[in-house]
């Protein structure tokens, strides 16, 4: 059972994210084409992604999965999901099913988590051993779901990310994509590697320390179409989702 102290720290974290005053700085740009962010008033977790895998019952999770950002929640393809989340906010006893099967990235995540064993299987239900959050905790305003990522966003959200890490104290942190891995490494006060990302993944996990606690941080390819297509082992030449499955099998030895 999750201890009361963790629950209170998590609730305070969610409240502080909602009250964050850094949005104007995130949106500060001289370019009229730069992507703007907005807050989500109906998100009662650290991130909308956390409704699938996360929340108060998952604060003792073994795995913290970190994505880049969630995109534009006003997009019509999220209409069903947003409606379900709002319903759960009103009545937590209702059955919540995350429509993972409609998203190629989420479908691939299910395949990859299956490589870690039955304990970490994820589908529509919430697995208490797993916690999902994006690094950027605001949402794209009218600009689709990808492109235009700014390191400024990651820097401004890093304090909240580190607080989440301190609360959960996961056995492993899995980073989806180079921008996420580099930002996570920087948030711990370290320098990211300069080699190409395929080599970084093949080199394996990095140990990072926070407040005297060490964390095993895995750089992984994003499991969307672009990330999957670009994942290729520099030594074996193996590529795609099969290579990603091989990458993820290494994680289970740290669990």
């Amino acid at each position: 059972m999750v201890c009361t102290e963790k629950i209170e720290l998590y609730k305070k974290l969610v409240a502080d994210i909602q009250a964050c005053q850094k949005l104007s700085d995130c949106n500060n740009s001289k370019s009229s084409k730069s992507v703007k962010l907005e807050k989500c008033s109906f998100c009662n977790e650290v991130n909308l992604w956390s409704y699938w895998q996360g929340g108060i019952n998952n604060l003792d999770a073994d795995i913290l999965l970190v994505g880049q950002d969630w995109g534009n929640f006003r997009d019509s393809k999220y209409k069903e999901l947003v409606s379900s989340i709002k319903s759960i906010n009103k009545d937590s006893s209702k059955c919540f099913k995350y429509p993972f099967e409609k998203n190629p990235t989420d479908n691939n995540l299910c395949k990859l988590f299956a490589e870690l064993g039955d304990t970490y299987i994820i589908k529509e239900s919430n697995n208490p051993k797993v916690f999902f959050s994006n690094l950027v905790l605001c949402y794209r305003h009218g600009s689709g779901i990808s492109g235009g990522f700014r390191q400024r966003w990651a820097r401004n959200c890093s304090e909240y990310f580190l607080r989440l890490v301190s609360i959960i104290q996961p056995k492993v942190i899995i980073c989806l994509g180079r921008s996420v891995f580099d930002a996570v490494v920087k948030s711990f006060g370290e320098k990211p590697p300069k080699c190409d990302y395929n080599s970084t993944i093949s080199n394996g996990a990095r140990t990072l320390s926070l407040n005297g606690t060490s964390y095993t941080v895995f750089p992984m390819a994003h499991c969307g179409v672009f990330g999957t297509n670009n994942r290729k082992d520099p030594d074996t030449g193996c590529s795609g989702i099969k290579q990603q499955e091989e990458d993820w099998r290494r994680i289970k030895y740290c669990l």
Side-chain angles (χ1 to χ4, degrees), residues 10 45 50-58 126-127 130-132:
Y10 181 73
E45 302 290 350
S50 307
Y51 278 88
W52 182 18
Q53 305 292 333
I56 285 175
N57 292 327
N58 297 41
N126 195 354
N127 186 333
V130 180
F131 199 109
F132 285 6

Side-chain angles (χ1 to χ4, degrees), residues 45-228:
E45 302 290 350
V46 292
N47 188 241
L48 285 174
W49 213 18
S50 307
Y51 278 88
W52 182 18
Q53 305 292 333
I56 285 175
N57 292 327
N58 297 41
L59 298 180
D60 287 330
D62 293 340
I63 299 172
L64 174 59
L65 181 76
V66 189
Q68 181 177 283
D69 61 82
W70 203 79
N72 176 14
F73 62 84
R74 300 181 191 277
D75 192 292
S76 59
K77 71 178 181 179
Y78 293 130
K79 185 177 180 180
E80 177 187 346
L81 175 61
V82 168
S83 177
S84 295
I85 288 174
K86 289 180 177 179
S87 178
I88 288 295
N89 286 343
K90 293 179 180 179
D91 184 0
S92 59
S93 66
K94 289 185 177 181
C95 181
F96 175 69
K97 179 183 177 182
Y98 188 92
F100 70 91
E101 69 279 358
K102 296 183 179 181
N103 186 302
T105 297
D106 293 337
N107 257 314
N108 281 341
L109 273 177
C110 291
K111 295 177 183 177
L112 295 172
F113 269 93
E115 297 296 330
L116 306 182
D118 292 345
T119 302
Y120 302 103
I121 292 291
I122 60 164
K123 287 195 176 178
E124 64 271 11
S125 59
N126 195 354
N127 186 333
K129 294 290 187 179
V130 180
F131 199 109
F132 285 6
S133 178
N134 284 303
L135 189 60
V136 177
L137 301 174
C138 280
Y139 304 84
R140 291 166 182 263
H141 179 70
S143 57
I145 60 173
S146 63
F149 175 76
R150 303 177 69 195
Q151 285 293 331
R152 181 193 294 257
W153 301 347
R155 288 196 302 272
N156 282 336
C157 286
S158 62
E159 66 169 286
Y160 303 124
F161 167 71
L162 293 177
R163 283 169 63 182
L164 183 63
V165 171
S166 294
I167 293 168
I168 299 174
Q169 296 188 330
K171 292 179 180 178
V172 300
I173 298 171
I174 303 173
C175 301
L176 295 180
R178 179 164 203 154
S179 60
V180 174
F181 180 68
D182 286 357
V184 166
V185 171
K186 289 177 183 178
S187 73
F188 277 86
E190 301 287 342
K191 294 182 179 180
K194 295 183 179 180
C195 60
D196 68 275
Y197 195 54
N198 275 319
S199 296
T200 298
I201 296 170
S202 295
N203 289 339
R206 183 160 174 175
T207 301
L208 300 173
S209 296
L210 177 66
N211 300 326
T213 301
S214 294
Y215 296 94
T216 302
V217 183
F218 280 91
M220 289 291 164
H222 193 278
C223 47
V225 175
F226 183 78
T228 300

